[in-house]
Amino acid sequence: MNRKKRILSGMRPTGPLHLGNLHGALANWVEMQKEYECFFFIADWHALTSDYEDTSLISKYVQNMMIDWLSVGLSPDKSTFFVQSHIKEHAELFLILSMITPVPWLERNPTYKEQIAQISDKDLSTLGFLGYPVLQAADIIMYKADGVPVGVDQVPHVEITREIARRFNHFYGKVFSEPKAILTKTPKILGADRRKMSKSYNNAIYLSDKPDIIASRVAGMITDPQRARKTDAGNPDICNVFEFHKLYSNSETVNRVNNECRSAQIGCVECKKIMAQNLIKALEPIRDKRKYYEARPELVDEIIADGCDKARNIAQQTMKEVRSAIKLRD
Ligand code: TRP
Ligand code: SF4
């Protein structure tokens, strides 16, 4: 029998998840649960690579992230969830991989260069930050994952993972397969200010937001910037609110907004109100599930502990193979 393909992905626990995360990753993960053997983990050591100065919120974010995941329909009956720092084998594999990873591979990584250039409020000139993709490679090949669902910014990291796996196999014999990045198709929803939805831009709608917060967030969204007055015709094709309608409103409403915006029959205030209502309604099951898990923190802990046990078993097996391949005694 063919074994199901194995998928693995992770997220750094840097704060509550928003609609950008939902449509950019989580919705896709929920779908993948149906078809693949899935491992999803919370990369708390990776969070340390940039947030090493103040680590006080990380463990709270880990707990909240697990609840965010469960609230959108990721299920412990279908997938395995774990926390990176609970599986110490990742640190050992990272160490071994760092012996064979040429520093120039890391220095030319476009994601690395971009972040070094953009982020000025933190000192990222650390060994840990440079080695970020090596730890990520350890995360991935530890489980011999076939596919890694990620956004475009993470593709270079999966590419480095493949190169490191290849180099390991070349030196020590074939232990690892080369995982493939699975690019997530994402609808182009933006934040309230039309920049990428992000915690750091303060423009996000969070999965955990209450209805009145969602309504006020939507009311503040920038629409078609050319449309100054209600009597001006609008262009939904360049309006972020319309992208949200396409995700959350029924086709009748989408068609109506499309027509009435172009003919200046509907104003942005009304259009947003309709969208906000539909958005609030669509997120209701997520809010309900969140309430359920928030009331049962011991259940959340148990889900994490069970997932960690499963992951650790695999990681221990892989590390036996690794030690044997590099001829170090167990
Ligand atoms: N670097 C990823 C991100 O920031 C998180 C991550 C860590 C990851 N390890 C991983 C993603 C392994 C996929 C596979 O989004
Ligand atoms: Fe956007 Fe709706 Fe305003 Fe048209 S009416 S510009 S779709 S918010």
Side-chain angles (χ1 to χ4, degrees):
M1 198 183 80
N2 269 345
R3 90 168 158 91
K4 271 193 194 173
K5 284 225 183 318
R6 184 175 285 172
I7 292 292
L8 174 134
S9 197
M11 273 184 199
R12 282 174 306 140
T14 51
L17 298 182
H18 51 62
L19 294 180
N21 304 120
L22 175 61
H23 295 291
L26 294 175
N28 188 42
W29 291 8
V30 170
E31 279 307 299
M32 288 188 147
Q33 293 188 116
K34 298 181 186 151
E35 211 179 318
Y36 301 106
E37 184 192 15
C38 294
F39 287 76
F40 299 118
F41 76 98
I42 301 177
D44 53 350
W45 277 337
H46 273 113
L48 286 178
T49 58
S50 51
D51 298 347
Y52 55 83
E53 262 190 62
D54 179 5
T55 58
S56 56
L57 292 173
I58 295 181
S59 73
K60 191 183 108 199
Y61 288 157
V62 168
Q63 201 72 10
N64 287 348
M65 180 166 273
M66 193 63 240
I67 295 178
D68 273 329
W69 288 5
L70 293 165
S71 76
V72 300
L74 288 171
S75 158
D77 299 333
K78 299 181 186 143
S79 298
T80 302
F81 307 113
F82 66 94
V83 177
Q84 184 185 39
S85 69
H86 295 358
I87 318 290
K88 309 297 180 199
E89 284 76 8
H90 287 230
E92 187 185 354
L93 186 54
F94 164 71
L95 177 114
I96 291 168
L97 299 181
S98 72
M99 303 301 167
I100 64 167
T101 305
V103 172
W105 289 8
L106 303 173
E107 286 173 336
R108 66 170 182 241
N109 165 17
T111 307
Y112 174 77
K113 288 202 285 200
E114 205 178 289
Q115 293 198 322
I116 288 282
Q118 275 176 7
I119 299 173
S120 55
D121 59 333
K122 292 174 193 158
D123 178 4
L124 296 180
S125 60
T126 58
L127 176 58
F129 191 72
L130 180 66
Y132 187 116
V134 185
L135 180 57
Q136 185 159 346
D139 299 337
I140 297 169
I141 65 179
M142 182 74 87
Y143 301 91
K144 304 190 177 172
D146 302 293
V148 186
V150 283
V152 265
D153 63 315
Q154 293 296 313
V155 171
H157 292 164
V158 181
E159 199 44 51
I160 293 176
T161 301
R162 293 165 62 85
E163 284 166 3
I164 294 176
R166 202 176 307 145
R167 195 161 159 93
F168 185 100
N169 292 342
H170 171 73
F171 289 144
Y172 312 117
K174 185 165 180 347
V175 174
F176 297 113
S177 52
E178 291 178 28
K180 290 195 177 61
I182 303 174
L183 251 192
T184 313
K185 301 189 285 307
T186 51
K188 54 174 190 336
I189 59 163
L190 300 170
D193 54 359
R194 303 177 92 227
R195 291 190 289 174
K196 183 181 171 189
M197 194 180 281
S198 159
K199 186 176 61 118
S200 38
Y201 295 154
N202 188 28
N203 64 0
I205 296 173
Y206 293 95
L207 301 178
S208 48
D209 279 344
K210 305 272 177 287
D212 55 328
I213 303 280
I214 300 178
S216 70
R217 275 291 190 191
V218 171
M221 278 169 75
I222 295 178
T223 62
D224 169 0
Q226 311 293 335
R227 191 175 188 203
R229 277 169 297 270
K230 190 181 158 181
T231 45
D232 298 338
N235 181 1
D237 297 334
I238 56 165
C239 177
N240 190 29
V241 176
F242 190 59
E243 291 301 318
F244 277 78
H245 269 298
K246 287 195 257 176
L247 286 169
Y248 293 107
S249 300
N250 62 28
S251 54
E252 200 184 315
T253 307
V254 173
N255 288 336
R256 188 187 132 209
V257 165
N258 191 17
N259 295 329
E260 295 187 1
C261 171
R262 289 177 206 279
S263 57
Q265 285 169 283
I266 188 171
C268 294
V269 174
E270 187 193 345
C271 180
K272 286 177 180 176
K273 276 201 181 126
I274 299 169
M275 191 278 275
Q277 269 171 8
N278 293 336
L279 173 61
I280 289 166
K281 190 140 169 275
L283 296 181
E284 195 173 284
I286 297 182
R287 283 192 300 274
D288 289 348
K289 274 217 192 91
R290 162 181 303 281
K291 263 197 218 129
Y292 176 88
Y293 286 106
E294 276 176 350
R296 292 167 183 78
E298 60 308 321
L299 176 58
V300 177
D301 288 343
E302 196 181 304
I303 290 170
I304 294 177
D306 285 354
C308 285
D309 285 345
K310 267 199 242 166
R312 194 175 300 108
N313 274 333
I314 299 173
Q316 286 175 346
Q317 181 54 42
T318 302
M319 288 317 296
K320 275 196 189 351
E321 292 170 40
V322 167
R323 290 180 210 117
S324 151
I326 62 175
K327 303 191 170 54
L328 285 183
R329 285 242 188 123
D330 239 318

